Each structure stands twice: as structure tokens, then as C-alpha cells.
Amino acid sequence: MELIILPDAATASRSAADHLAALLIKKPTAVLGLATGSTPVALYRELIKKQRTEGLDFSGCSSFNLDEYVGLGPDHPASYRRFMQENLFAEINLPLSRVHIPDGLAKDLPAHCDAYEKSIRDAGGIDLQILGIGSDGHIGFNEPTSSLGSRTRLKTLTERTRADNARFFPNPEDVPHHVITMGIGTILEARSISLLAFGASKAAAIAAMVEGPITAMVPASILQTHPAVKVFLDDAAATEPSKIDYYRNVFAQKPSWQQW
Ligand code: F6R
């Protein structure tokens, strides 16, 4: 894991956007794995800016989102389909025909999840997966105790995640209990991963992910086994790992030939 610790979320999001843009320039047909929630919003704003000011071109890309609430349709204000439309897709030239988000209204959920896995394979696999992290260490909606080899499936949210996400709903009890999420095994097959985390509320989860034992109790800790993970943090999310000075030094001393 490479930790990129920058003073604030805006700077870290710009750095993550530069990394994604470098991939797109090298591979205009890149398959992107996308996340929702508060964390990637500034990254998406940077990507929109890059399209407008630098001509960053998404026309050859495909995308797969990590997750969706069961029971929420694309027009529901808290659905992840709607979130992506408002925060990214409406503003960039990624063809909607190549956008994939689990369907929260699917009638046959297991069949839908299998088909989602197949469409990722048919697209050639994910080149770069964007991730946030839950305060309990979840990635996607793979809550603690999720199988580390899991595939896209139905999950039940913990009460902690429902409380964390209540801010997106009129009433806390409106947060659905169930979601469709890519599995941990699915996420691990991405060729590269950028995980972003900002703020003190993520500090403990980040330390457990980076330095803790690999355990289903902290699903993000499995990322220790992936060969190409970049972790973009602000100072506040990077207070707890014991080797923080080392990670800062690695980044500061990064050889100039070692590009994105
Ligand atoms: C969202 C997702 C979740 C979030 C996590 C952090 O698609 O997969 O894992 O990344 O819950 O959410 P925020 O960014 O709102 O703190």
C-alpha cells in the first residue's frame, strides 16, 4: 500500500484525480470502478474540472459502481444511481450506455448480482477501483465479518453504517437495511485501487486497514494483499498508524522516475 498523506481533503482529491487522469490518458478505454458517499465528491468535481479545462476524455470508458440500496429506484433522491448522475455523469462525456450500477429494484437479486459480475468480466475487468472506507472498516458495503472472498451479493447493513448514512435521508429510519454490493473478492480483482479517506472519524479504520491484522472484522485490511493500492489521506485521517513518519518519508523521497 502506498500512503499519500496531504494536508487537506481538497489537495488529496486533486492528487487522486491526477492519478485517475494519468490512467485515462494511457488507456482511454479504461474500466473505472466508482464509489459514492461524501468522500469521492471532491474527486468527481476535480474530474469534471479536468474534462472542462484539460479536455480529459471519458468517451471510451466504462464504469461499474460498487453498490446500491435495495428498494431505491434511480430517481430516489438517496439512490446511488441518482447520486452518480448528479455528482459526475451529468457533467462528463462518459456514455450512459457503459455506466453500470446495481439495480436496487431488481426482482431476482441473486440473478442480478451474477449478471453484474459477468458484465464486469465481459468489460475486461476493472482497471482502477475508487474506494471510500466506512468508520467500521467496510469497503463497498462489505460490513465486518463479510467473507474476504465474497462476490456481488445482497448484504444487510450494520446499525452503525445506517446511522453514518442517515444524513442522506429525511429520517434515520428511512435508511434501507439491505444493499447490493460488489464483494471483497470482486474488489480485489481490480488491477489497481485508490482508496480515499478524510477526517478524524476515519483515522482508526485507516490504522487498522494499513497496520492491523488481516481480518474479516476490518474488511479493508484485505487490501494489504493487493499489489497496487494507493491510499489518499488528509492529515486528520492519518494520525493513528504507528509508522506514519515512514509513510510520509516514502512519499517525500519518491524517485522522480516512479510516475503514477
Ligand atoms: C459507497 C461505499 C461505501 C463508502 C463508505 C464511506 O459506494 O461503497 O463503502 O465509501 O461508507 O462513506 P463516506 O464517504 O460517506 O464516509
Side-chain angles (χ1 to χ4, degrees):
M1 269 187 215
E2 180 185 9
L3 270 67
I4 298 162
I5 305 163
L6 293 163
D8 52 60
T11 317
S13 300
R14 266 200 299 282
S15 182
D18 288 345
H19 173 52
L20 192 152
L23 167 71
L24 267 196
I25 289 162
K26 210 161 70 190
K27 185 173 181 184
T29 58
V31 179
L32 302 174
L34 300 175
T36 55
S38 303
T39 306
V41 171
L43 163 66
Y44 295 156
R45 268 196 225 114
E46 286 298 325
L47 294 177
I48 294 165
K49 196 156 106 199
K50 278 183 182 294
Q51 159 131 36
R52 289 186 188 149
T53 59
E54 298 167 24
L56 185 65
D57 183 10
F58 295 84
S59 64
C61 286
S62 317
S63 73
F64 288 86
N65 263 77
L66 283 164
D67 38 24
E68 179 60 284
Y69 291 107
V70 170
L72 303 196
D75 297 327
H76 190 287
S79 79
Y80 285 166
R81 183 69 186 76
R82 171 101 172 246
F83 173 97
M84 290 306 301
Q85 188 61 26
E86 288 175 355
N87 286 284
L88 187 64
F89 298 149
E91 307 292 337
I92 61 169
N93 67 340
L94 171 60
L96 286 179
S97 58
R98 287 205 297 275
V99 159
H100 304 83
I101 301 184
D103 178 1
L105 299 180
K107 292 273 174 301
D108 183 343
L109 285 172
H112 179 64
C113 294
D114 290 349
Y116 201 71
E117 288 275 329
K118 182 172 179 316
S119 39
I120 296 173
R121 280 196 302 277
D122 290 348
I126 291 172
D127 290 297
L128 174 61
Q129 176 67 56
I130 304 298
L131 293 177
I133 186 170
S135 60
D136 60 2
H138 71 234
I139 47 175
F141 272 136
N142 297 284
E143 296 283 30
T145 72
S146 289
S147 158
L148 298 178
S150 51
R151 313 301 309 188
T152 303
R153 69 207 183 293
L154 181 79
K155 280 298 289 181
T156 306
L157 294 179
T158 61
E159 287 309 305
R160 178 167 174 181
T161 299
R162 290 186 69 238
D164 282 351
N165 288 4
R167 66 191 188 281
F168 296 110
F169 292 81
N171 304 299
E173 59 274 19
D174 296 342
V175 183
H177 287 271
H178 294 112
V179 291
I180 302 168
T181 180
M182 273 189 209
I184 297 177
T186 321
I187 292 170
L188 287 176
E189 282 172 8
R191 283 182 271 281
S192 63
I193 294 175
S194 288
L195 184 144
L196 288 73
F198 308 132
S201 66
K202 302 294 173 73
I206 289 296
M209 169 183 88
V210 177
E211 296 182 339
I214 294 174
T215 165
M217 290 304 286
V218 181
S221 63
I222 193 67
L223 298 178
Q224 292 174 28
T225 67
H226 192 287
V229 179
K230 289 184 191 295
V231 183
F232 296 87
L233 302 174
D234 65 357
D235 281 340
T239 49
E240 294 199 20
S242 65
K243 301 225 173 289
I244 207 70
D245 293 344
Y246 176 62
Y247 310 135
R248 285 185 188 277
N249 196 36
V250 170
F251 187 59
Q253 304 301 329
K254 196 168 170 170
S256 57
W257 52 264
Q258 206 180 29
Q259 294 299 324
W260 287 126

PDB file of all heavy atoms in Angstrom, residues 5 28 39 108 146 184 245 259:
ATOM      1  N   ILE A   5      -0.240  11.189   1.972  1.00  0.00           N
ATOM      2  CA  ILE A   5      -0.867  11.977   3.041  1.00  0.00           C
ATOM      3  C   ILE A   5      -0.676  13.452   2.709  1.00  0.00           C
ATOM      4  O   ILE A   5       0.452  13.938   2.623  1.00  0.00           O
ATOM      5  CB  ILE A   5      -0.230  11.644   4.406  1.00  0.00           C
ATOM      6  CG1 ILE A   5      -0.304  10.132   4.654  1.00  0.00           C
ATOM      7  CG2 ILE A   5      -0.933  12.411   5.531  1.00  0.00           C
ATOM      8  CD1 ILE A   5       0.628   9.634   5.742  1.00  0.00           C
ATOM      9  N   PRO A  28      -7.421   5.065 -22.819  1.00  0.00           N
ATOM     10  CA  PRO A  28      -8.699   5.789 -22.949  1.00  0.00           C
ATOM     11  C   PRO A  28      -9.922   4.893 -22.804  1.00  0.00           C
ATOM     12  O   PRO A  28     -11.020   5.391 -22.585  1.00  0.00           O
ATOM     13  CB  PRO A  28      -8.622   6.385 -24.368  1.00  0.00           C
ATOM     14  CG  PRO A  28      -7.165   6.376 -24.724  1.00  0.00           C
ATOM     15  CD  PRO A  28      -6.550   5.215 -23.998  1.00  0.00           C
ATOM     16  N   THR A  39     -17.065  11.035   0.517  1.00  0.00           N
ATOM     17  CA  THR A  39     -15.626  11.102   0.252  1.00  0.00           C
ATOM     18  C   THR A  39     -15.264  11.408  -1.202  1.00  0.00           C
ATOM     19  O   THR A  39     -14.410  12.273  -1.441  1.00  0.00           O
ATOM     20  CB  THR A  39     -14.956   9.789   0.714  1.00  0.00           C
ATOM     21  OG1 THR A  39     -15.318   9.573   2.080  1.00  0.00           O
ATOM     22  CG2 THR A  39     -13.446   9.867   0.590  1.00  0.00           C
ATOM     23  N   ASP A 108     -35.124 -10.334  -9.232  1.00  0.00           N
ATOM     24  CA  ASP A 108     -34.384 -11.541  -8.850  1.00  0.00           C
ATOM     25  C   ASP A 108     -32.965 -11.103  -8.473  1.00  0.00           C
ATOM     26  O   ASP A 108     -32.090 -10.988  -9.333  1.00  0.00           O
ATOM     27  CB  ASP A 108     -34.394 -12.514 -10.042  1.00  0.00           C
ATOM     28  CG  ASP A 108     -33.694 -13.823  -9.699  1.00  0.00           C
ATOM     29  OD1 ASP A 108     -32.934 -13.858  -8.702  1.00  0.00           O
ATOM     30  OD2 ASP A 108     -33.906 -14.798 -10.443  1.00  0.00           O
ATOM     31  N   SER A 146     -17.819  -9.868   6.701  1.00  0.00           N
ATOM     32  CA  SER A 146     -18.059 -10.305   5.315  1.00  0.00           C
ATOM     33  C   SER A 146     -16.973 -11.281   4.900  1.00  0.00           C
ATOM     34  O   SER A 146     -15.802 -11.122   5.286  1.00  0.00           O
ATOM     35  CB  SER A 146     -17.981  -9.095   4.365  1.00  0.00           C
ATOM     36  OG  SER A 146     -19.084  -8.252   4.524  1.00  0.00           O
ATOM     37  N   ILE A 184     -15.871  -8.544  -1.715  1.00  0.00           N
ATOM     38  CA  ILE A 184     -14.457  -8.232  -1.466  1.00  0.00           C
ATOM     39  C   ILE A 184     -13.586  -8.926  -2.516  1.00  0.00           C
ATOM     40  O   ILE A 184     -12.626  -8.341  -3.034  1.00  0.00           O
ATOM     41  CB  ILE A 184     -14.064  -8.643  -0.031  1.00  0.00           C
ATOM     42  CG1 ILE A 184     -14.889  -7.825   0.975  1.00  0.00           C
ATOM     43  CG2 ILE A 184     -12.566  -8.443   0.194  1.00  0.00           C
ATOM     44  CD1 ILE A 184     -14.658  -8.187   2.421  1.00  0.00           C
ATOM     45  N   ASP A 245       5.478   8.417  10.117  1.00  0.00           N
ATOM     46  CA  ASP A 245       6.633   9.190   9.637  1.00  0.00           C
ATOM     47  C   ASP A 245       7.287   8.473   8.460  1.00  0.00           C
ATOM     48  O   ASP A 245       7.749   9.107   7.513  1.00  0.00           O
ATOM     49  CB  ASP A 245       7.666   9.375  10.765  1.00  0.00           C
ATOM     50  CG  ASP A 245       7.110  10.264  11.864  1.00  0.00           C
ATOM     51  OD1 ASP A 245       6.104  10.951  11.595  1.00  0.00           O
ATOM     52  OD2 ASP A 245       7.664  10.246  12.979  1.00  0.00           O
ATOM     53  N   GLN A 259       6.610   7.253 -11.726  1.00  0.00           N
ATOM     54  CA  GLN A 259       5.437   8.076 -12.017  1.00  0.00           C
ATOM     55  C   GLN A 259       4.182   7.370 -11.525  1.00  0.00           C
ATOM     56  O   GLN A 259       4.230   6.236 -11.085  1.00  0.00           O
ATOM     57  CB  GLN A 259       5.352   8.305 -13.519  1.00  0.00           C
ATOM     58  CG  GLN A 259       6.494   9.132 -14.089  1.00  0.00           C
ATOM     59  CD  GLN A 259       6.547  10.538 -13.491  1.00  0.00           C
ATOM     60  OE1 GLN A 259       5.517  11.130 -13.224  1.00  0.00           O
ATOM     61  NE2 GLN A 259       7.755  11.044 -13.283  1.00  0.00           N
TER      62      GLN A 259
END
